[in-house]
């Protein structure tokens, strides 16, 4: 016959079990509350504005300035940075040149993933873009304007959009936004895609 377990030991074991259960399910409860409240860790937040609903350029085929079509599906897994500045051949030439320089810098900072990024510059370029192999000059038309949410320029500058490999416009960067924000979001997206 075995000796009965002392009541103190039973109570201690029961309390330990309750603490383990509370820690396990309490952690899941806190995680669920944070998840459904919309909270995200700082490193997981987008720097650009997540578009809801996404713009859709899948059915649209941009036309390059030389008249040839630019097909989305010809370059699988290629992200596009789209800029559609206005007045680059006139009074806003310096601002457009600065925007183009910032986009070129973002592209160069992509390093080995740079070949998976194209810059679509809609309209007249402010400078010669021949040395910038990532830039594709496209014509501005109603189809492009319709697919890019809130495409109006402001006195602060021109917005920039990030288009996924399928042709969905997923992020918008406000006029005058820091190009480092675009680089951060793009680097994260290139890692997961």
């Amino acid at each position: 016959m075995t000796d009965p377990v002392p009541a103190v030991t039973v109570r201690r074991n029961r309390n330990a079990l309750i603490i383990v259960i509370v820690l396990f399910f309490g952690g899941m409860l806190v995680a669920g509350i944070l998840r459904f409240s919309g909270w995200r860790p700082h490193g997981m937040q987008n720097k650009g504005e997540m578009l809801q609903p996404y713009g859709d350029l899948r059915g649209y085929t941009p036309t390059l300035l030389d008249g040839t079509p630019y097909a989305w599906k010809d370059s699988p897994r290629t992200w596009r940075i789209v800029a559609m500045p206005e007045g680059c051949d006139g009074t806003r030439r310096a601002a457009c040149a600065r925007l183009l320089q910032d986009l070129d810098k973002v592209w160069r900072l992509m390093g080995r993933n740079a070949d998976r990024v194209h810059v679509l510059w809609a309209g007249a370029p402010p400078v010669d873009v021949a040395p910038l192999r990532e830039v594709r000059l496209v014509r501005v038309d109603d189809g492009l304007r319709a697919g890019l949410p809130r495409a109006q320029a402001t006195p602060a500058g021109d917005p920039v959009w990030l288009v996924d490999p399928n042709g969905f416009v997923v992020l918008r960067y406000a006029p005058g936004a820091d190009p480092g924000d675009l680089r951060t979001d793009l680097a994260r997206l290139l890692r997961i895609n």
Side-chain angles (χ1 to χ4, degrees), residues 103-104 107-108 114 117-120 131-136:
L103 296 180
D104 179 56
W107 181 80
R108 290 178 189 280
V117 178
H118 290 171
V119 175
L120 301 183
L132 307 175
R133 67 184 180 103
E134 76 276 10
V135 175
R136 311 299 193 271

Side-chain angles (χ1 to χ4, degrees), residues 3-182:
D3 292 332
V5 179
V8 173
T9 305
V10 171
R11 195 174 320 114
R12 189 178 317 139
N13 290 344
R14 186 180 304 131
N15 289 342
L17 179 63
I18 290 172
I19 289 172
V20 168
I21 290 172
V22 167
L23 288 175
F24 180 75
F25 287 110
M28 288 182 12
L29 178 67
V30 169
I33 290 170
L34 291 175
R35 163 69 176 96
F36 292 111
S37 71
W39 179 84
R40 298 191 82 186
H42 181 67
M44 297 297 292
Q45 294 174 352
N46 298 318
K47 305 287 185 178
E49 171 193 355
M50 179 69 77
L51 297 171
Q52 296 293 337
Y54 297 138
D56 190 357
L57 292 173
R58 289 176 302 165
Y60 170 74
T61 301
T63 305
L64 298 173
L65 285 185
D66 66 6
T68 59
Y70 175 85
W72 298 111
K73 299 201 179 357
D74 285 352
S75 301
R77 298 182 56 204
T78 301
W79 288 80
R80 282 84 179 187
I81 301 170
V82 180
M84 192 172 57
E86 298 176 9
C88 290
D89 52 355
T91 58
R92 299 193 58 238
R93 186 178 202 95
C96 292
R98 190 170 39 257
L99 176 61
L100 184 59
Q101 181 181 22
D102 287 344
L103 296 180
D104 179 56
K105 190 181 304 179
V106 167
W107 181 80
R108 290 178 189 280
L109 288 172
M110 289 296 103
R112 63 183 172 88
N113 288 321
D115 289 335
R116 295 180 48 209
V117 178
H118 290 171
V119 175
L120 301 183
W121 187 271
V127 296
D128 180 28
V129 296
L132 307 175
R133 67 184 180 103
E134 76 276 10
V135 175
R136 311 299 193 271
L137 298 175
V138 297
R139 294 181 180 166
V140 179
D141 58 20
D142 292 336
L144 183 61
R145 281 191 185 98
L148 298 174
R150 294 192 321 278
Q152 302 80 16
T154 67
D158 299 286
V160 174
W161 297 267
L162 192 57
V163 180
D164 79 358
N166 298 312
F168 288 107
V169 185
V170 292
L171 291 170
R172 179 182 182 272
Y173 297 86
D178 182 6
D181 293 347
L182 172 61

